[in-house]
Every structure is written in C-alpha cells, then in structure tokens.
C-alpha cells in the first residue's frame, strides 16, 4: 500500500485538482481514494491498481459535483502556485507557467468527457485499456474519444 | 497546430505536482483514518460479542442473569431494609421462574441460593429499626410479607412433590423453605411481644 501511495498519490492529486480546481478538496479526495482502496484491498486482490485508483477518484469527483448540484468546469485561469513548484522567478519560468495555464484554461472549455480522456491519456499516461475500465466504455470508443478530444482542444489552442 | 503539438502541450500539465509536504499530510490523514477504522471495528466486534453473550445468557441462563442483577442491586442498596426487600423480591421472582419452568431439577440450586440470600439479608434487619433508614414497623411489614411468600412457596413445592418423580432434590428445597419460614415466624412473634 505504501508503495502504491508513493507511486500514484501525485497523479491522483493532480487529476483531482484539475477536476475540482481546489487544493484542499483535491487533498481530501486523494486521501479518501487511498482509504477506499485500502478497504477493498483488505477483501480482495486488485489486478489493476492504477486504473482502480483513478476509477475511485473519478467516482468521488462525480459525487462531489452531484452534491454541489452544478458542474463546475475545470479551467480557471490560474493554477495554485503551490502546485507549480517553480523555484526560479525568471522569464522562462514565467512563460512556462503561462503556457500551462493557457492549456488548463482551454481544457476547461471542451466537453467533460473530452477533458477526462485527454487528462487520462496524455497527462496521467493511462493505457487505452485502463481508460476503458475507468470510463466504462469499450476501447474503440476511447480511441475515437481521444481523437475527437484532441481535435476539439486543437481548435482552441 | 498539429495534434502532436497539442499532445505535447497537454504533457506540460504533468509538471503540476503537489509538494512533498502535501503528500506527507495526506499520508498522515490516511494512516490516522486507518487506525480509527481498525479501532472502531475492534470496538464493534467487542460490543457485538458482549451483546451476544448477554442475549445468550438471558435466554439460556435466566437464573444466572437474575442472580447477577440482584447481587448488584443488593450491593448498591444503601440500607439493610432495602437490601432485604430486594433479596426477598429476587427469591420470589426466581421461584416464579422455576414454577413457570415446571420445577426442573436444574433450577433447584439457583432457588436455594436466592432463598439463602433473602434469609441472610432478612436476618440482618434490626427489629427496632435504624434511625433515618427504616422503622421497626417497616421491618415487621417486610417480615410478614416474607413469611407469606415462604408459605406460598412451601405449598407449591408440596403439591409438586406429590405429582413429580424427582422427589429428593425437591424435598431438600421444601425442608429449606420450612426452616426459613420457622425463622421468620419466630421473628414476627418477637415483634408481637
């Protein structure tokens, strides 16, 4: 369990943050994800831990939105500085930060399904198989979604 | 812009990372929650075992549970009059239970024990009463009730002995009842003098 935490906690946190745009809530969701994972691990063997962790956090995010009763889209203009980790205050670092924020902001403008699939595939580097498990769609659908999502984002960037 | 360039831009988002302190704090929270859950499940298990034991005891060992409760009540009673009253009521209820169970042999010993307790506590009563605790009149009244109770038990036992096959243990109990009844009668006579 410790090994899995070290391996995936960052990714889970990042994904949660991109979905809820709140540092504290992302922390809570990450903790809840690993606690749920641990409870399941006590009862059964988990074959795909990474996919399962993302499936759990995805479920929590859906519940979070349901409780809030509105779908808050991702894509604030500004990402919490604590997450950017830039120690340099030079022009290069600033430009990079801006670039990240532009991508983030535009990601928030496309369909939720497209956001999810792009985050899973390009940012969290999950396989097509893993994404199909998380999103409960067949692999062909996922491939098509990725293609369409990329095109949608391309139009905005 | 080509799709390849878009995918590279997306990969920039990988540099968004929580720092070590945040990860440490989350990990601490997970450990704390795990410990709480483990403690809770131990507590829940223990509670379930205790409740189950209690239920089984009540169902299968009613005499035992009554004895425990009565002993506790007698122990916490503040004066001898209350102790005696509780003990007499306990002996009565045990006898009623035995009657309900059709005077089973295994119930004789608990009855005998409850009668012994009642007799001991009654014996501890001061006939003159204790100032601020109970009067001699209360004492007399309790003795009369006790005597009546013992007489009723004797009659019930005598009838049972006639009809049952298990005479020996029941005869012993009857003898006990007669002995206690005689003692209570003597005490009542003392009052009347």
């Amino acid at each position: 369990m410790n090994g899995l935490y070290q391996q995936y906690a960052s990714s889970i946190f990042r994904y949660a943050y991109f979905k809820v745009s709140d540092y504290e809530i992302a922390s809570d969701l990450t903790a809840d994800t690993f606690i749920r994972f641990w409870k399941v691990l006590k009862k059964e063997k988990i074959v795909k831990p990474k996919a399962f962790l993302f499936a759990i956090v995805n479920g929590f995010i859906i519940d979070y939105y349901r409780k809030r009763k509105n779908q808050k889209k991702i894509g604030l203009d500004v990402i919490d500085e604590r997450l950017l980790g830039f120690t340099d205050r030079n022009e290069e670092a600033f430009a990079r930060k801006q670039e990240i924020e532009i991508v983030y902001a535009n990601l928030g403008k496309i369909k939720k399904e497209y956001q999810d699939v792009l985050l899973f595939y390009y940012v969290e580097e999950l396989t097509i198989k893993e994404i199909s498990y998380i999103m409960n769609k067949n692999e062909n659908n996922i491939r098509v979604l990725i293609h369409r999502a990329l095109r949608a984002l391309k139009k905005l960037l | 812009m080509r799709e390849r360039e878009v995918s590279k831009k997306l990969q920039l988002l990988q540099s968004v990372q929580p720092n070590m302190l945040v990860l440490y704090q989350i990990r601490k929270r997970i450990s704390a929650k795990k410990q709480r859950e483990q403690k809770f499940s131990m507590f829940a298990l223990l509670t379930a075992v205790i409740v189950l034991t209690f239920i089984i005891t009540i169902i299968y060992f009613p005499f035992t549970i009554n004895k425990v409760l009565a002993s506790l009540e007698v122990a916490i009673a503040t004066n001898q009059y209350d102790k005696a009253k509780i003990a007499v009521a306990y002996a009565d209820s045990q006898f009623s239970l035995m009657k309900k169970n059709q005077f089973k042999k295994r119930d004789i010993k608990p009855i005998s024990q409850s009668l012994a307790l009642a007799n001991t506590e009654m014996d501890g009563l001061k006939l003159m009463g204790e100032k601020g605790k109970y009067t001699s009149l209360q004492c007399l009244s309790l003795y009369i009730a006790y005597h009546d109770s013992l007489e009723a038990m004797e009659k019930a036992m005598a009838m049972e002995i006639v009809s049952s096959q298990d005479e020996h243990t029941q005869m012993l109990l009857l003898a006990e009842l007669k002995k206690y009844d005689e003692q209570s009668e003597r005490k009542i006579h003392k009052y009347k003098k």
Side-chain angles (χ1 to χ4, degrees):
Chain A
M1 173 78 177
N2 283 335
L4 287 169
Y5 180 82
Q6 277 176 352
Q7 216 176 339
Y8 300 123
S10 254
S11 295
I12 297 293
F13 181 95
R14 179 175 51 229
Y15 174 72
Y17 179 79
F18 284 149
K19 296 298 291 181
V20 303
S21 308
D22 187 301
Y23 195 89
E24 302 306 332
I25 294 167
S27 295
D28 291 342
L29 292 174
T30 307
D32 290 343
T33 299
F34 279 92
I35 288 162
R36 176 69 64 85
F37 183 88
W38 165 70
K39 283 184 185 174
V40 175
L41 193 63
K42 280 199 295 181
K43 294 176 193 167
E44 55 193 77
K45 194 179 173 186
I46 297 168
V47 176
K48 297 176 207 162
K50 188 178 180 184
F52 189 57
L53 281 164
F54 274 98
I56 295 171
V57 73
N58 211 36
F60 281 139
I61 288 164
I62 292 169
D63 288 342
Y64 169 75
Y65 281 137
R66 226 177 257 147
K67 281 174 193 168
R68 284 168 56 90
K69 286 183 183 167
N70 59 59
Q71 285 269 346
K72 186 180 175 183
K73 284 190 175 176
I74 62 168
L76 295 177
D77 293 336
V78 176
I79 292 180
D80 194 309
E81 285 242 347
R82 290 174 284 183
L83 295 169
L84 290 169
F86 293 136
T87 51
D88 301 324
R89 297 278 173 198
N90 56 31
E91 260 187 52
E92 199 183 317
F94 183 73
R96 196 172 156 85
K97 180 177 179 286
Q98 278 203 307
E99 219 179 336
I100 291 170
E101 284 172 351
I102 288 167
V103 175
Y104 183 54
N106 284 302
L107 196 59
K109 293 174 187 171
I110 60 174
K111 263 168 58 168
K112 185 195 163 296
E113 240 183 1
Y114 291 171
Q115 292 168 15
D116 289 349
V117 87
L118 290 177
L119 285 171
F120 286 145
Y121 193 68
Y122 290 107
V123 182
E124 305 309 335
E125 294 180 342
L126 289 153
T127 62
I128 301 286
K129 201 169 182 175
E130 286 170 334
I131 299 170
S132 85
Y133 168 78
I134 295 163
M135 295 180 75
N136 201 26
K137 292 180 189 301
N138 71 48
E139 291 179 30
N140 280 334
N141 283 354
I142 297 299
R143 284 190 191 93
V144 168
L145 262 178
I146 290 171
H147 176 68
R148 287 177 182 170
L150 214 51
R151 247 188 8 212
L153 187 62
K154 193 173 91 173
K155 281 182 190 169
L156 297 169
L157 286 173
Chain B
M1 191 185 280
R2 289 182 190 166
E3 285 184 7
R4 203 170 177 176
E5 286 164 359
V6 176
S7 66
K8 277 194 175 158
K9 288 225 181 259
L10 277 166
Q11 281 166 352
L12 283 174
L13 295 177
Q14 287 176 343
S15 57
V16 174
Q17 301 255 4
N19 62 36
M20 294 307 288
L21 180 64
V22 168
L23 290 174
Y24 171 74
Q25 282 169 344
I26 293 172
R27 193 189 197 135
K28 258 183 84 176
R29 204 188 312 180
I30 295 167
S31 300
K33 180 93 191 247
K34 271 162 87 170
Q35 274 179 4
R36 272 199 305 271
E37 299 231 341
Q38 277 165 343
K39 272 185 195 165
F40 179 76
S41 38
M42 283 297 292
F43 177 74
L45 185 67
L46 199 65
T47 307
V49 166
I50 290 169
V51 168
L52 198 64
T53 308
F54 190 69
I55 290 169
I56 290 169
T57 310
I58 290 173
I59 293 168
Y60 293 103
F61 305 100
F63 287 101
T64 310
I65 201 82
N66 285 345
K67 184 181 173 184
V68 167
L69 291 173
S71 303
L72 200 63
E73 276 190 72
V74 166
I76 61 175
T78 52
N79 64 63
Q80 191 58 38
Y81 174 77
D82 288 339
K83 287 180 194 285
K85 205 172 171 188
I86 291 164
V88 167
Y90 163 58
D92 260 342
S93 71
Q94 294 288 75
F95 193 87
S96 301
L97 198 55
M98 183 174 75
K99 222 171 142 183
K100 206 173 154 188
N101 286 347
Q102 292 160 350
F103 295 94
K104 285 195 171 61
K105 189 181 175 180
R106 64 163 190 248
D107 297 343
I108 301 282
K109 191 177 173 188
I111 300 302
S112 183
Q113 287 171 344
S114 68
L115 285 167
L117 176 67
N119 205 59
T120 304
E121 296 303 333
M122 287 301 290
D123 215 35
L125 277 173
K126 290 190 177 139
L127 301 179
M128 303 301 288
E130 282 185 71
K131 198 177 178 183
K133 292 178 186 179
Y134 59 93
T135 61
S136 68
L137 207 59
Q138 277 179 302
C139 211
L140 174 65
S141 176
L142 187 57
Y143 254 108
I144 292 170
Y146 179 48
H147 167 69
D148 290 344
S149 188
L150 287 168
E151 268 194 345
M153 286 184 203
E154 271 180 73
K155 277 185 187 157
M157 264 332 295
M159 279 179 66
E160 176 56 25
I161 286 167
V162 169
S163 60
S164 91
Q165 292 167 359
D166 192 16
E167 285 183 29
H168 179 67
T169 44
Q170 288 170 346
M171 286 290 284
L172 286 172
L173 182 62
L174 184 61
E176 244 183 273
L177 283 164
K178 282 183 193 266
K179 186 180 89 181
Y180 294 143
D181 196 17
E182 279 165 16
Q183 286 174 4
S184 69
E185 267 191 44
R186 278 200 294 273
K187 287 271 168 97
I188 294 169
H189 280 312
K190 271 189 186 173
Y191 269 111
K192 286 180 178 171
K193 279 180 186 172

